[in-house]
């Protein structure tokens, strides 16, 4: 059984706790930080961590507002600046160095920002189905997906599994046990014995207050400052990471390695081929 550990981080209104799981030898100087997507948790990397724990000390945090981490009293504090600050606090408090990084979607953006900093500790960066640009049409589709889900209650994990099969259908063909793993870490149990989504729905408020056309996400200047080797994982049917974005990433940084998988947004990093692609590249 993997236990959760916690660190204290600062926010504009005070402090909050960040939860993380740790795999492998805690004294191993080779460290792999794995950061999840927008509405997920660090437990998305259980399969990857199991495969790599002989070679790495692996740390998988729950970003604030998700999983076992605290929720914030002010929803406007949720966002990349605080997430990046929290991860830098984690790195500092655990005295980490010699870091490799795997980031899915939002976690890939966090890694890209940290890797772009001068004297960054990130040696190698894996970005899972995310790039420096998200066009308005893609952003609108992504936001609409979360705004339309409501706040469902589930009687049991069977209902949760049915829900995730539909909500995360872009993940592609998965086994029953893989869907059940995703379902387990999509919810938390209530005091009434039912299940609710594990994350603070206020993380979606940024979409609710938007007026007019959503502006594109444009982090090309950040991407231009990344110098560490990069592996980009791409879901071939992804609506968030477009082929033209990949081409531009390659034109700016020709050394990037790109791996394509038959799914949408995003490769869930559960299957052997996806895990081996990361393991082979890191090693």
């Amino acid at each position: 059984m993997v236990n959760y550990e916690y660190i204290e981080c600062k926010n504009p209104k005070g402090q909050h706790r960040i939860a993380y799981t740790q795999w492998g030898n805690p004294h191993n100087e080779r460290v792999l930080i794995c950061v999840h997507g927008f509405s997920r948790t660090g437990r998305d990397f259980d399969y990857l961590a199991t495969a790599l724990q002989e070679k790495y000390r692996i740390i998988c945090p729950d970003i604030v507002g998700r999983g076992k981490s605290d929720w914030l009293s002010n929803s406007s504090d949720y966002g990349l600046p605080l997430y990046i600050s929290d991860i830098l606090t984690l790195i500092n408090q655990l005295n980490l160095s010699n870091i490799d990084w795997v980031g899915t979607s939002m976690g890939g953006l966090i890694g890209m920002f940290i890797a772009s900093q001068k004297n960054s500790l990130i040696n190698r960066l894996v970005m899972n189905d995310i790039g420096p640009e998200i066009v308005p049409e893609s952003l609108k589709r992504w936001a609409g997906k979360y705004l339309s889900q409501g706040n469902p209650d589930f009687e049991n994990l069977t209902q949760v599994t049915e829900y995730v099969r539909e909500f995360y259908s872009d993940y592609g063909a998965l086994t029953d046990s893989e869907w059940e793993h995703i379902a387990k870490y999509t919810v938390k149990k209530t005091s009434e014995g039912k299940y609710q989504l594990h994350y603070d729905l206020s993380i979606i408020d940024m979409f609710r207050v938007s007026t007019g056309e959503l502006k594109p996400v444009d982090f090309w200047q950040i991407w231009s400052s990344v110098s560490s080797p990069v592996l980009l994982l791409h879901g071939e049917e992804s609506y968030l990471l477009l082929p033209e974005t990949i081409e531009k990433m390659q034109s700016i940084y020709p050394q990037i390695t790109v791996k394509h998988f038959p799914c949408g947004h995003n490769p869930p990093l559960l299957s052997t081929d996806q895990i081996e692609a990361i393991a082979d590249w890191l090693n």
Side-chain angles (χ1 to χ4, degrees):
M1 182 178 178
V2 179
N3 295 320
Y4 285 91
E5 301 175 64
Y6 298 86
I7 62 163
E8 292 286 338
C9 298
K10 294 181 179 179
N11 64 67
K13 303 297 184 296
Q15 291 187 315
H16 58 273
R17 290 199 315 168
I18 290 295
Y20 65 94
T21 55
Q22 189 166 196
W23 306 71
N25 182 351
H27 303 294
N28 191 342
E29 294 184 355
R30 294 187 69 191
V31 177
L32 180 66
I33 296 180
C34 301
V35 182
H36 58 80
F38 181 75
S39 63
R40 300 301 306 159
T41 78
R43 302 308 298 268
D44 282 0
F45 300 102
D46 281 9
Y47 285 50
L48 179 67
T50 299
L52 297 181
Q53 63 183 334
E54 294 299 319
K55 296 185 177 181
Y56 278 98
R57 175 189 180 185
I58 303 168
I59 296 169
C60 305
D62 290 350
I63 295 298
V64 64
R66 288 87 166 168
K68 299 292 185 178
S69 292
D70 286 346
W71 293 8
L72 300 177
S73 58
N74 188 346
S75 64
S76 64
D77 293 333
Y78 287 121
L80 284 176
L82 183 62
Y83 305 158
I84 293 166
S85 174
D86 285 353
I87 295 297
L88 292 175
T89 299
L90 174 72
I91 290 171
N92 181 58
Q93 288 196 19
L94 298 183
N95 296 311
L96 303 179
S97 59
N98 194 30
I99 294 168
D100 290 339
W101 184 283
V102 176
T104 293
S105 197
M106 180 187 73
L109 290 180
I110 296 171
M112 183 181 72
F113 269 83
I114 295 175
S116 73
Q117 297 177 350
K118 187 177 181 180
N119 301 321
S120 169
L121 293 175
I122 294 180
N123 296 320
R124 287 170 289 185
L125 172 64
V126 180
M127 297 175 63
N128 184 14
D129 209 59
I130 196 66
E133 180 178 18
I134 305 175
V135 300
E137 294 78 9
S138 299
L139 196 58
K140 184 177 181 180
R141 176 176 171 182
W142 181 64
K145 176 178 179 180
Y146 286 98
L147 289 171
S148 64
Q149 71 175 342
N151 187 15
D153 277 326
F154 305 97
E155 295 291 336
N156 50 54
L157 286 175
T158 299
Q159 289 184 358
V160 180
T161 303
E162 293 172 354
Y163 168 83
V164 299
R165 282 178 181 268
E166 180 178 355
F167 193 79
Y168 296 107
S169 60
D170 285 351
Y171 283 3
L174 303 181
T175 66
D176 289 344
S177 62
E178 289 167 349
W179 282 120
E180 289 165 4
H181 179 81
I182 293 169
K184 182 177 179 180
Y185 297 107
T186 294
V187 292
K188 60 181 181 179
K189 204 164 189 177
T190 69
S191 56
E192 293 81 21
K194 296 183 179 182
Y195 295 88
Q196 289 183 333
L197 298 174
H198 70 84
Y199 58 88
D200 183 358
L201 291 177
S202 293
I203 64 174
I204 308 169
D205 284 353
M206 65 180 77
F207 304 130
R208 292 195 176 95
V209 300
S210 296
T211 56
E213 189 69 22
L214 290 169
K215 295 181 179 179
V217 171
D218 183 345
F219 296 138
W220 287 112
Q221 186 174 357
I222 302 299
W223 174 249
S224 298
S225 299
V226 173
S227 58
S228 56
V230 177
L231 170 64
L232 180 65
L233 308 180
H234 175 233
E236 291 174 336
E237 299 174 16
S238 175
Y239 64 88
L240 217 57
L241 177 61
L242 303 179
E244 50 266 36
T245 303
I246 297 174
E247 291 174 6
K248 187 173 179 179
M249 292 173 75
Q250 291 171 315
S251 69
I252 294 172
Y253 188 38
Q255 299 93 329
I256 186 175
T257 301
V258 183
K259 297 287 186 181
H260 305 277
F261 296 98
C263 62
H265 179 75
N266 50 267
L269 309 187
L270 299 173
S271 62
T272 300
D273 60 335
Q274 293 172 16
I275 291 172
E276 287 183 348
I278 295 172
D280 291 346
W281 185 81
L282 289 175
N283 294 313

